[in-house]
DNA sequence: TTCTGTGCAAATCTTTTGCATGGCA
DNA sequence: TGCCATGCAAAAGATTTGCACAGAA
């Protein structure tokens, strides 16, 4: 589904500003507010920060976009299938990792008698590259 | 270990203000900044918000206190053993759940060639009570 | 025309800093 | 005395809101 359809199917108009934000999230995987502001400014010098906030909040409410609460600066991404976020505390890299979390969450559901909503689990790590540096 | 010793062993003076914050975290399990501010005010009407921020940041740096990044308002807790946070999106309850996350994190480490640092994994859920309400 | 979305500026929070004061080793 | 910690006020940042205008249905 194109980003245009994604917006329309959530009764949001496909404005250039919204598409621009979605394109950035698609290209970068995840972006902070600063990232979004910097990149959008190149295309739309007049695009206002309040529009970014407003649109992100709307798209989060509709479930099109998700917030990633792992670093102090929050990141945003286009909502997608169950996966992991691996954030390297050493080099600051934030990556998606394709991993079905079901078997983990199903176990919790059984033990705690609850329904787990997360499609995403966030983990702080030291990444492969940084581990290699340690061993040198 | 008492909170006094906890502070001293991290070369922080055990001031009444710091102890008050730690007591709150101990009593509540987790508290937001608002919680901390409201409760400390009862005991120390003059305790300033900047002192709370400064102390929390220091204690986070030393690893005595951890931030919980799950809701929009961040929560704080006294650092402890590996466990889960279950946050009910419906009623807003945030609870600890005793669950060893090792088998999950070990699997990720193998697959992604990384070291997982988390002692804590955050999950958004619908809790047992709220599920019951649905079925009525 | 009627809505919805945008930009700008102002208002409101949140968080951090600078500095003078106070208390404890 | 010499630190370290605090309180207060100001500064800096982040986020939201009000309003008038612009553009698409």
């Amino acid at each position: 589904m194109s980003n245009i359809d994604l917006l329309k199917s959530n009764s949001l108009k496909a404005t250039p500003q919204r598409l621009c934000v979605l394109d950035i999230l698609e290209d970068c995987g995840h972006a902070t507010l600063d990232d979004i502001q910097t990149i959008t400014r190149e295309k739309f010098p007049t695009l206002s920060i309040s529009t970014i906030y407003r649109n992100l909040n709307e798209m989060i409410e509709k479930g099109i976009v998700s917030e990633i609460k792992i670093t102090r600066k929050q990141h945003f991404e286009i909502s997608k299938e169950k996966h992991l976020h691996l954030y390297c505390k050493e080099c600051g890299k934030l990556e998606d990792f394709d991993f079905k979390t079901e078997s983990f969450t199903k176990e919790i559901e059984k033990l705690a008698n609850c329904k787990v909503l997360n499609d995403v689990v966030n983990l702080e790590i030291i990444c492969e590259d940084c581990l290699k540096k340690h061993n040198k």
Side-chain angles (χ1 to χ4, degrees), chain A:
Chain A
M1 180 152 59
S2 75
N3 288 339
I4 295 182
D5 296 334
L6 188 61
L7 288 168
K8 286 191 178 167
S9 65
N10 281 281
S11 48
L12 292 174
K13 284 190 186 168
T15 64
Q17 290 87 338
R18 285 179 182 149
L19 288 170
C20 184
V21 169
L22 287 179
D23 284 347
I24 292 169
L25 294 182
E26 208 161 39
D27 288 354
C28 306
H30 352 74
T32 62
L33 242 144
D34 287 346
D35 297 338
I36 295 173
Q37 205 181 352
T38 310
I39 304 174
T40 49
R41 278 283 156 80
E42 289 165 19
K43 278 196 187 172
F44 296 90
T46 69
L47 197 156
S48 127
I49 184 78
S50 64
T51 299
I52 299 179
Y53 274 111
R54 259 189 294 231
N55 283 339
L56 281 174
N57 285 339
E58 275 165 345
M59 294 193 285
I60 288 168
E61 249 172 54
K62 304 277 187 180
I64 302 175
V65 167
S66 310
E67 314 170 68
I68 310 174
K69 293 179 277 278
I70 183 165
T71 63
R72 280 226 156 165
K73 291 230 162 210
Q74 92 192 121
H75 290 70
F76 302 89
E77 71 178 350
I78 296 183
S79 304
K80 49 183 181 264
E81 278 290 279
K82 295 176 189 299
H83 66 290
L84 296 177
H85 290 138
L86 301 183
Y87 168 67
C88 178
K89 263 201 150 175
E90 208 157 299
C91 65
K93 199 168 45 190
L94 172 59
E95 288 189 314
D96 279 355
F97 188 70
D98 201 9
F99 183 85
K100 296 280 166 280
T101 52
E102 274 100 341
S103 71
F104 173 62
T105 55
K106 286 271 175 285
E107 197 175 347
I108 310 296
E109 290 189 337
K110 235 184 272 172
L111 291 169
N113 294 314
C114 66
K115 166 138 196 53
V116 174
L117 302 173
N118 290 62
D119 284 334
V120 169
V121 174
N122 298 318
L123 293 175
E124 296 181 344
I125 64 161
I126 297 181
C127 70
E128 190 169 4
D129 294 344
C130 289
L131 283 175
K132 275 181 193 158
K133 278 177 212 150
H134 287 206
N135 293 334
K136 273 183 187 158

